Amino acid sequence: MTATAQRNAFDNACPDGKAAFPRHVAIIMDGNGRWARERDLPRTEGHRKGVDTLRKIVRHAAKRGIGYLTLFSFSSENWTRPEAEVSFLMGLLQRFVQRDLADLDRNNIKVRIIGERTGLSPDILSLLEEAETVTGKNTGLVLVVAFNYGARNELTRAVRSIAEAVSRGEVAPEEVDETMIASRLDTAGLPDPDLIIRTSGEQRLSNFLLWQAAYAEFLFPSSNWPDFNEDAFDEALAVFAGRERRYGGLSGQAGG
């Protein structure tokens, strides 16, 4: 679909610019390596280009009035990649925070980090905490960065926390419910994603927001992340606007 057609699809589906918008969009930014390989470039160039795309999409999501944007930036499994690639990615993170944090703050964007922090190096942990502290009072788009994140690890930590509370007598087993579990997750206080996008055409969650994705809509564009642009984001919003969300109910009926 051409950029003009994408824009028209978005405008037709959302003529007032906000109708049927997802409140929370989550993105698995996949395909940096493929993008580089298709151009006979090193994988690091794909990651570098991917950061450029990240900047554009964050700005555009804020412009479109999206309330929450969650980006799967680095999974707990990514540590198994070659040491040189991991080192490069950590350097990209450092440069992104140093270069973009002030801009995010000026644009009233609030950063929140989810993922396991135990065991992170002090310099990385400091970067993550700085991003949250500097933007903590902002009231615009909430940019949720999943770093060293794995949904099974998140669920394990939540269940362990509840088990410890039960063993101390603070919680009775019969009091454990979905609300309690959700309150112990890294995403506590955040709405569940309405729309999850995974670029590069792969159609799986890869241990991303397994609990929170229960009623999300999914979209799997074929473009690799470095090629995913503002028009592609608008097309995703238009597709979302055309879907009927039933939450387990019947068509045309509010589900529950």
Side-chain angles (χ1 to χ4, degrees):
M1 182 179 289
T2 66
T4 299
Q6 291 169 348
R7 183 71 65 182
N8 288 340
F10 171 79
D11 291 338
N12 290 336
C14 308
D16 64 358
K18 289 188 177 180
F21 258 34
R23 183 184 183 193
H24 183 176
V25 177
I27 304 178
I28 301 173
M29 303 179 292
D30 194 21
N32 290 342
R34 294 185 191 91
W35 182 91
R37 185 168 61 249
E38 290 169 0
R39 291 160 177 78
D40 293 322
L41 297 171
R43 287 177 59 86
T44 53
E45 287 306 307
H47 293 310
R48 198 191 312 275
K49 180 67 174 178
V51 171
D52 291 339
T53 298
L54 184 156
R55 292 188 179 100
K56 295 175 185 177
I57 295 303
V58 170
R59 288 195 297 266
H60 192 66
K63 177 182 176 182
R64 285 300 186 203
I66 301 299
Y68 302 83
L69 177 67
T70 297
L71 301 176
F72 201 4
S73 67
F74 193 85
S75 78
S76 52
E77 291 84 9
N78 285 157
W79 295 107
T80 62
R81 292 187 176 186
E83 183 178 349
E85 182 174 353
V86 170
S87 179
F88 181 83
L89 290 170
M90 294 304 103
L92 275 183
L93 171 67
Q94 184 176 25
R95 289 191 292 276
F96 178 80
V97 172
Q98 292 172 342
R99 172 179 170 181
D100 294 80
L101 187 56
D103 185 61
L104 293 173
D105 189 37
R106 280 194 300 270
N107 286 282
N108 198 31
I109 294 172
K110 181 176 182 176
V111 177
R112 176 162 168 180
I113 310 297
I114 61 173
E116 175 66 85
R117 300 194 189 191
T118 303
L120 291 178
S121 64
D123 57 332
I124 294 299
L125 186 59
S126 177
L127 283 174
L128 302 181
E129 292 175 345
E130 178 185 4
E132 289 184 313
T133 300
V134 169
T135 64
K137 295 182 180 180
N138 292 340
T139 57
L141 169 71
V142 178
L143 175 61
V144 184
V145 180
F147 180 84
N148 194 31
Y149 175 85
R152 288 183 175 182
N153 172 271
E154 175 190 35
L155 286 165
T156 299
R157 287 186 281 112
V159 171
R160 183 184 300 123
S161 173
I162 293 172
E164 290 171 349
V166 170
S167 69
R168 292 192 298 267
E170 299 169 359
V171 174
E174 61 271 18
E175 293 177 320
V176 179
D177 57 13
E178 292 184 13
T179 299
M180 181 178 293
I181 294 172
S183 73
R184 305 286 178 128
L185 297 175
D186 295 348
T187 53
L190 299 174
D192 289 341
D194 303 294
L195 173 64
I196 296 178
I197 301 168
R198 179 171 186 153
T199 56
S200 85
E202 299 290 348
Q203 299 185 23
R204 56 181 179 273
L205 279 176
S206 295
N207 203 19
F208 181 57
L209 300 180
L210 297 180
W211 173 279
Q212 300 86 342
Y215 286 103
E217 296 294 320
F218 294 88
L219 194 63
F220 303 104
S222 59
S223 58
N224 291 318
W225 175 246
D227 291 325
F228 191 81
N229 57 23
E230 295 93 337
D231 288 313
F233 188 84
D234 282 349
E235 183 181 11
L237 297 184
V239 170
F240 176 86
R243 292 187 180 178
E244 181 181 9
R245 307 183 73 200
R246 296 192 294 274
Y247 300 96
L250 299 177
S251 179
Q253 177 186 53

